[in-house]
Amino acid sequence: MSGGSSPSSRRNSSNSLSRDLDLSSEQGCLSIVVLGASGDLAKKKTFPALYHLFDQGFIQSGEVHIFGYARSNLSDDGLRERISGYLKGAPEEDLSEFLQLIKYVSGSYDNGEGFEKLNKTISEYEASSKTESYRRLFYLALPPSVYPSVCKMIRTYCMNPSSHPGWTRVIVEKPFGKDLDSAEQLSSQLGQLFEEHQLYRIDHYLGKELVQNLLVLRFANRLFLPLWNRDNIDNIQIVFREDFGTEGRGGYFDQYGIIRDIIQNHLLQVFCLVAMEKPVSLKPEHIRDEKVKVLQSVNPIQPEEVVLGQYDGYKDDPTVPDDSNTPTFASVVLRVHNERWEGVPFILKAGKALNSRKAEVRVQFKDVPGDIFKCKKQGRNEFVIRLQPSEAMYMKVTVKKPGLEMATEQSELDLSYGMRYQNVKIPEAYERLILDTIRGDQQHFVRRDELKAAWQIFTPLLHDIDEGKLKAVPYQPGSRGPKEADELSTRVGYVQTHGYVWIPPTLA
C-alpha cells in the first residue's frame, strides 16, 4: 500500500465513490456464500477478490457477511487462518476486520442437513441487520459435476425469504460441460431451478482490463471504425501461451485438453468482442445479443485448418494415460460468414510448455497498395492488444530510420499501462466480476444461448479428437509449438515480421 492515509480511512473515503458507481439501487444486508471454501480456487481467487473489494470500500462491515461452506471439518478461525495465508501484504488491522466478516459452515453438497444449517446461519445474520432487504450471493467454487445437486439444495433450503425484498444470485465456474449435449443438459438442470437473470456463468477472462477495453476501443474511436473490416484487415490472431506444462494437474487436464480449457471459452469470448457488431446500447442484453449473432455466423471448422500438438514429456505424468491424444497445443482457424468478415481468418491459438507466457490479440492489416518505399519486406501494420502480462496496446508502423538515408524500419505507437497509469491499480478479473454480480450487471457473463452457440462451433472438432480422427503432433517444451502451426498461419495469410521485437517500456 502506498503511504499517506491509513487503509481504513482510504476505504471510508472511497465509500461514497463505490456507492455512486453501484449499478443497483437495492440496499440491505448482503450475504456472500462461497461453496467449496476450503478448495484452491476459493483460497487463491475468490477470498482475495472479496478482500480487495472490501479494502476499496465496495463491500463494507455492517452491510455484508461472508459464509464459507465445504465438507472439511473446520472452525471459523480455521478457515480464516487458511485465507490469511493468501492475503500477504494486507495491513493487519484491515485483514483482521475483513476476516471477522467470515463464518464457516461444514456440510455435504448433496444433503439437506448442511444447507439447512447454512440457511439458519445466514438468517441469523440477516435478522440482526435491522434491514428489510436480504441479498444472497452464492459462489460455486466447485467442480461442475456437483452443480446440479448444490443448486437444488440452494433452491430448496437457502433462497432469499419471500417475505423480504432482495434477490438470490448464483455464480458458476467453467467448464460448462464438455460438449454441446453435456452443456445443454447442465443448462437445463440449472434452468429448472433458477431464472436466467439469477445465473452468472463466470469466465474470468471477461473481467480482464484489456478485454473490457475492447468495446471502448472499437466503438468510441473514429480511427478504428472504417478500418475494422475485410477491406483493411488480412487476418486476426488471438493467442494464449504458457511457458509451463500441466504441473501436477495432468489427470484433470487430460479430461479436457487445451481447446476445452482455453480456446472454447476464454479465447472465444475475446473473439466475440473483436468480431461483433456495435450493440444498440451498453445494456448487458444488447451486448450479449451481438455476441450470439457473431457466434452463429461462424462456419464449421475445417480439419485442414486445425493443428494439434502435445509436448514431449506430457505423458510422463503418472495420472495421464500412456495412449493420450489430448492436445496441449491447438491452432484453430475460424471463419465468419458475414459482410464484415468474409474471407478474414481468425486464428485462435493456445498452448502449454511454450517459449513464452502471454495472451494477446494481433490484428494484421493488408499490405499498402502502391508501396513506393519498397518496405513490404519489413512487415505489415499490426494492432496488438496485450492482455497479459504487461498490459499494453501498440500499433506496429513503418517509419523513417534516423539518418541521412531514406531507409525505413518498423517501430510502434505504444500505450503501456504500467507507464501511462503508474499509480492506478488494475483490478483482478474476479474482483470486477463479483462486483458486477452484486450490482446485477450480466454484461460480462455468458448467457445460455451464447454458451450453446459456442459449443456448436467446437463440438464436432472435439468429438473427432476424442475418437482419434485428428492426432496431436509432438513438440519440444520451450519451443513455439508444432512447426505445422506456423505453416498453417502462413497458409491462411499471416505474414510474420522478422527482426522486430516489442519491448515493454520501463521507468528505468
Side-chain angles (χ1 to χ4, degrees):
M1 296 270 179
S2 57
S5 58
S6 70
S8 57
S9 66
R10 284 200 303 278
R11 192 166 63 248
N12 291 336
S13 67
S14 69
N15 182 29
S16 60
L17 175 62
S18 69
R19 291 181 187 277
D20 289 344
L21 291 174
D22 199 334
L23 302 183
S24 171
S25 60
E26 298 163 346
Q27 297 298 318
C29 66
L30 172 63
S31 301
I32 300 175
V33 184
V34 181
L35 298 113
S38 60
D40 279 354
L41 176 62
K43 290 183 294 186
K44 294 178 180 178
K45 296 294 185 182
T46 315
F47 284 114
L50 291 172
Y51 170 74
H52 290 130
L53 290 175
F54 168 80
D55 184 54
Q56 296 169 75
F58 288 104
I59 59 177
Q60 308 244 331
S61 299
E63 295 180 1
V64 66
H65 222 85
I66 300 168
F67 302 88
Y69 184 92
R71 290 178 297 214
S72 305
N73 186 19
L74 287 172
S75 63
D76 292 349
D77 286 338
L79 179 61
R80 292 165 184 164
E81 186 176 342
R82 289 193 183 193
I83 294 167
S84 61
Y86 293 89
L87 299 175
K88 294 180 175 63
E92 189 172 334
E93 179 185 346
D94 277 16
L95 181 58
S96 176
E97 186 181 348
F98 171 72
L99 293 175
Q100 290 308 306
L101 300 177
I102 298 173
K103 289 188 176 296
Y104 181 74
V105 178
S106 176
S108 71
Y109 296 121
D110 56 1
N111 187 293
E113 184 179 346
F115 284 88
E116 283 185 300
K117 184 180 176 184
L118 174 62
N119 183 63
K120 182 182 177 184
T121 308
I122 298 172
S123 299
E124 288 172 354
Y125 157 64
E126 291 172 336
S128 68
S129 66
K130 300 183 178 62
T131 60
E132 290 299 315
S133 179
Y134 298 168
R135 298 173 291 166
R136 297 186 178 188
L137 171 58
F138 294 87
Y139 191 114
L140 274 59
L142 295 165
S145 58
V146 300
Y147 288 172
S149 62
V150 170
C151 286
K152 187 175 181 180
M153 292 295 112
I154 293 171
R155 182 74 202 179
T156 305
Y157 298 103
C158 297
M159 295 294 285
N160 178 64
S162 57
S163 57
H164 288 264
W167 44 254
T168 301
R169 293 172 184 156
V170 179
I171 298 177
V172 293
E173 278 271 358
K174 78 169 189 71
F176 314 115
K178 292 188 70 174
D179 58 11
L180 178 60
D181 288 343
S182 59
E184 279 290 277
Q185 182 181 9
L186 181 59
S187 291
S188 177
Q189 289 171 321
L190 299 190
Q192 291 171 11
L193 299 168
F194 297 103
E195 300 292 331
E196 183 66 23
H197 66 83
Q198 295 176 299
L199 287 170
Y200 289 71
R201 300 175 188 85
I202 193 170
D203 184 332
H204 74 269
Y205 247 61
L206 286 174
K208 290 187 176 293
E209 183 68 30
L210 270 292
V211 174
Q212 298 222 326
N213 214 335
L214 280 168
L215 286 184
V216 179
L217 277 170
R218 287 197 54 201
F219 302 124
N221 292 286
R222 188 73 174 87
L223 168 67
F224 293 116
L225 292 177
L227 297 179
W228 215 259
N229 54 50
R230 62 192 298 270
D231 297 329
N232 300 286
I233 293 174
D234 187 272
N235 60 81
I236 296 176
Q237 290 197 65
I238 304 174
V239 178
F240 176 95
R241 304 167 68 87
E242 288 182 331
D243 55 4
F244 53 88
T246 53
E247 299 195 342
R249 294 176 64 246
Y252 170 83
F253 180 85
D254 201 70
Q255 300 175 48
Y256 294 96
I258 199 73
I259 295 177
R260 290 184 177 97
D261 195 42
I262 301 295
I263 295 179
Q264 186 273 338
N265 44 73
H266 296 335
L267 298 195
L268 200 63
Q269 288 295 326
V270 177
F271 160 81
C272 287
L273 296 173
V274 171
M276 63 185 263
E277 297 299 317
K278 182 188 286 189
V280 174
S281 75
L282 290 177
K283 289 180 179 178
E285 292 314 305
H286 290 157
I287 292 173
R288 299 201 293 182
D289 287 345
E290 296 303 332
K291 289 167 70 178
V292 171
K293 286 179 187 175
V294 76
L295 289 173
Q296 292 174 337
S297 299
V298 175
N299 286 333
I301 297 169
Q302 299 303 307
E304 64 271 16
E305 295 192 327
V306 176
V307 171
L308 307 176
Q310 187 185 89
Y311 67 83
D312 290 337
Y314 169 71
K315 287 184 280 197
D316 292 346
D317 186 325
T319 62
V320 174
D322 292 339
D323 60 350
S324 172
N325 186 46
T326 300
T328 61
F329 175 99
S331 183
V332 180
V333 178
L334 299 187
R335 296 188 179 273
V336 183
H337 182 55
N338 66 16
E339 185 178 4
R340 182 183 295 272
W341 296 118
E342 190 75 50
V344 178
F346 287 78
I347 307 164
L348 276 56
K349 188 186 302 183
K352 289 182 172 292
L354 299 176
N355 61 349
S356 63
R357 172 181 171 263
K358 67 179 179 180
E360 66 183 19
V361 180
R362 185 173 294 269
V363 180
Q364 186 171 85
F365 292 89
K366 293 185 174 182
D367 292 319
V368 175
D371 179 18
I372 60 174
F373 294 102
K374 305 293 187 290
C375 55
K376 182 186 292 188
K377 65 181 184 296
Q378 290 173 343
R380 293 167 164 172
N381 293 141
E382 290 182 358
F383 179 49
V384 182
I385 303 167
R386 174 69 69 96
L387 306 177
Q388 67 179 36
S390 305
E391 293 94 340
M393 292 178 281
Y394 62 95
M395 177 74 82
K396 285 169 56 177
V397 295
T398 300
V399 298
K400 179 186 175 298
K401 191 174 183 178
L404 296 175
E405 301 295 326
M406 179 53 78
T408 59
E409 66 176 1
Q410 280 219 320
S411 187
E412 69 279 321
L413 304 174
D414 196 330
L415 166 59
S416 292
Y417 274 53
M419 290 283 287
R420 181 66 177 83
Y421 302 110
Q422 292 176 28
N423 298 316
V424 176
K425 175 187 176 294
I426 295 178
E428 290 291 329
Y430 280 92
E431 294 173 42
R432 188 189 309 274
L433 295 176
I434 291 173
L435 184 59
D436 281 350
T437 308
I438 295 170
R439 293 169 165 174
D441 184 353
Q442 289 190 306
Q443 174 180 329
H444 303 115
F445 295 84
V446 182
R447 201 167 66 188
R448 180 174 177 175
D449 57 342
E450 180 185 346
L451 180 63
K452 179 179 180 179
W455 277 118
Q456 285 174 327
I457 294 170
F458 281 97
T459 291
L461 171 62
L462 290 166
H463 285 177
D464 284 349
I465 296 170
D466 294 342
E467 294 165 9
K469 295 177 182 177
L470 289 175
K471 297 291 187 180
V473 298
Y475 65 95
Q476 285 296 313
S479 68
R480 284 178 52 83
K483 62 177 176 30
E484 290 87 345
D486 286 336
E487 292 167 358
L488 171 62
S489 296
T490 300
R491 193 165 74 244
V492 300
Y494 174 69
V495 177
Q496 188 173 355
T497 302
H498 295 283
Y500 168 87
V501 177
W502 176 74
I503 301 173
T506 66
L507 296 173

mmCIF file of all heavy atoms in Angstrom, residues 279-288 441 443:
data_model
loop_
_atom_site.group_PDB
_atom_site.id
_atom_site.type_symbol
_atom_site.label_atom_id
_atom_site.label_comp_id
_atom_site.label_asym_id
_atom_site.label_seq_id
_atom_site.Cartn_x
_atom_site.Cartn_y
_atom_site.Cartn_z
ATOM 1 N N PRO A 279 -23.346 -2.888 -30.520
ATOM 2 C CA PRO A 279 -24.654 -3.119 -29.896
ATOM 3 C C PRO A 279 -25.495 -1.847 -29.881
ATOM 4 O O PRO A 279 -24.968 -0.732 -30.033
ATOM 5 C CB PRO A 279 -24.290 -3.557 -28.476
ATOM 6 C CG PRO A 279 -22.947 -2.952 -28.224
ATOM 7 C CD PRO A 279 -22.247 -2.906 -29.551
ATOM 8 N N VAL A 280 -26.798 -2.014 -29.695
ATOM 9 C CA VAL A 280 -27.711 -0.877 -29.653
ATOM 10 C C VAL A 280 -27.357 0.057 -28.498
ATOM 11 O O VAL A 280 -27.457 1.277 -28.604
ATOM 12 C CB VAL A 280 -29.173 -1.377 -29.511
ATOM 13 C CG1 VAL A 280 -30.129 -0.217 -29.326
ATOM 14 C CG2 VAL A 280 -29.555 -2.211 -30.721
ATOM 15 N N SER A 281 -26.947 -0.545 -27.367
ATOM 16 C CA SER A 281 -26.553 0.234 -26.196
ATOM 17 C C SER A 281 -25.600 -0.620 -25.377
ATOM 18 O O SER A 281 -25.236 -1.733 -25.768
ATOM 19 C CB SER A 281 -27.786 0.603 -25.354
ATOM 20 O OG SER A 281 -28.243 -0.531 -24.624
ATOM 21 N N LEU A 282 -25.199 -0.102 -24.228
ATOM 22 C CA LEU A 282 -24.332 -0.857 -23.337
ATOM 23 C C LEU A 282 -25.112 -1.735 -22.369
ATOM 24 O O LEU A 282 -24.524 -2.313 -21.454
ATOM 25 C CB LEU A 282 -23.413 0.096 -22.554
ATOM 26 C CG LEU A 282 -22.325 0.776 -23.382
ATOM 27 C CD1 LEU A 282 -21.533 1.742 -22.523
ATOM 28 C CD2 LEU A 282 -21.400 -0.256 -24.021
ATOM 29 N N LYS A 283 -26.407 -1.847 -22.556
ATOM 30 C CA LYS A 283 -27.174 -2.754 -21.706
ATOM 31 C C LYS A 283 -26.663 -4.179 -21.921
ATOM 32 O O LYS A 283 -26.368 -4.580 -23.058
ATOM 33 C CB LYS A 283 -28.660 -2.676 -22.038
ATOM 34 C CG LYS A 283 -29.311 -1.368 -21.606
ATOM 35 C CD LYS A 283 -30.795 -1.351 -21.952
ATOM 36 C CE LYS A 283 -31.441 -0.043 -21.492
ATOM 37 N NZ LYS A 283 -32.875 0.016 -21.865
ATOM 38 N N PRO A 284 -26.535 -4.949 -20.835
ATOM 39 C CA PRO A 284 -25.972 -6.304 -20.964
ATOM 40 C C PRO A 284 -26.634 -7.147 -22.043
ATOM 41 O O PRO A 284 -25.942 -7.843 -22.797
ATOM 42 C CB PRO A 284 -26.200 -6.895 -19.566
ATOM 43 C CG PRO A 284 -26.184 -5.709 -18.643
ATOM 44 C CD PRO A 284 -26.813 -4.597 -19.426
ATOM 45 N N GLU A 285 -27.959 -7.106 -22.150
ATOM 46 C CA GLU A 285 -28.625 -7.967 -23.126
ATOM 47 C C GLU A 285 -28.309 -7.542 -24.555
ATOM 48 O O GLU A 285 -28.206 -8.373 -25.456
ATOM 49 C CB GLU A 285 -30.133 -7.985 -22.886
ATOM 50 C CG GLU A 285 -30.525 -8.668 -21.590
ATOM 51 C CD GLU A 285 -29.796 -9.997 -21.384
ATOM 52 O OE1 GLU A 285 -29.872 -10.865 -22.276
ATOM 53 O OE2 GLU A 285 -29.144 -10.172 -20.338
ATOM 54 N N HIS A 286 -28.151 -6.243 -24.796
ATOM 55 C CA HIS A 286 -27.817 -5.785 -26.148
ATOM 56 C C HIS A 286 -26.416 -6.256 -26.545
ATOM 57 O O HIS A 286 -26.187 -6.673 -27.693
ATOM 58 C CB HIS A 286 -27.909 -4.264 -26.234
ATOM 59 C CG HIS A 286 -29.313 -3.752 -26.154
ATOM 60 N ND1 HIS A 286 -29.621 -2.472 -25.753
ATOM 61 C CD2 HIS A 286 -30.501 -4.352 -26.413
ATOM 62 C CE1 HIS A 286 -30.939 -2.307 -25.793
ATOM 63 N NE2 HIS A 286 -31.487 -3.434 -26.186
ATOM 64 N N ILE A 287 -25.467 -6.198 -25.600
ATOM 65 C CA ILE A 287 -24.113 -6.658 -25.892
ATOM 66 C C ILE A 287 -24.104 -8.162 -26.130
ATOM 67 O O ILE A 287 -23.504 -8.663 -27.090
ATOM 68 C CB ILE A 287 -23.163 -6.281 -24.736
ATOM 69 C CG1 ILE A 287 -22.990 -4.751 -24.686
ATOM 70 C CG2 ILE A 287 -21.812 -6.974 -24.879
ATOM 71 C CD1 ILE A 287 -22.225 -4.251 -23.496
ATOM 72 N N ARG A 288 -24.807 -8.895 -25.302
ATOM 73 C CA ARG A 288 -24.809 -10.354 -25.433
ATOM 74 C C ARG A 288 -25.569 -10.799 -26.681
ATOM 75 O O ARG A 288 -25.236 -11.824 -27.285
ATOM 76 C CB ARG A 288 -25.366 -10.989 -24.153
ATOM 77 C CG ARG A 288 -24.489 -10.616 -22.944
ATOM 78 C CD ARG A 288 -24.646 -11.553 -21.774
ATOM 79 N NE ARG A 288 -25.945 -11.517 -21.147
ATOM 80 C CZ ARG A 288 -26.269 -12.249 -20.078
ATOM 81 N NH1 ARG A 288 -25.371 -13.066 -19.548
ATOM 82 N NH2 ARG A 288 -27.464 -12.168 -19.531
ATOM 83 N N ASP A 441 -25.245 -6.758 -12.928
ATOM 84 C CA ASP A 441 -24.832 -6.464 -14.300
ATOM 85 C C ASP A 441 -24.284 -7.739 -14.939
ATOM 86 O O ASP A 441 -23.207 -8.215 -14.585
ATOM 87 C CB ASP A 441 -23.758 -5.376 -14.291
ATOM 88 C CG ASP A 441 -23.343 -4.956 -15.697
ATOM 89 O OD1 ASP A 441 -23.787 -5.591 -16.672
ATOM 90 O OD2 ASP A 441 -22.562 -3.990 -15.814
ATOM 91 N N GLN A 443 -23.398 -8.177 -18.109
ATOM 92 C CA GLN A 443 -22.709 -7.898 -19.374
ATOM 93 C C GLN A 443 -21.518 -8.829 -19.594
ATOM 94 O O GLN A 443 -21.276 -9.283 -20.709
ATOM 95 C CB GLN A 443 -22.235 -6.447 -19.386
ATOM 96 C CG GLN A 443 -21.388 -6.078 -20.588
ATOM 97 C CD GLN A 443 -20.936 -4.624 -20.543
ATOM 98 O OE1 GLN A 443 -21.627 -3.780 -20.009
ATOM 99 N NE2 GLN A 443 -19.778 -4.340 -21.091
#
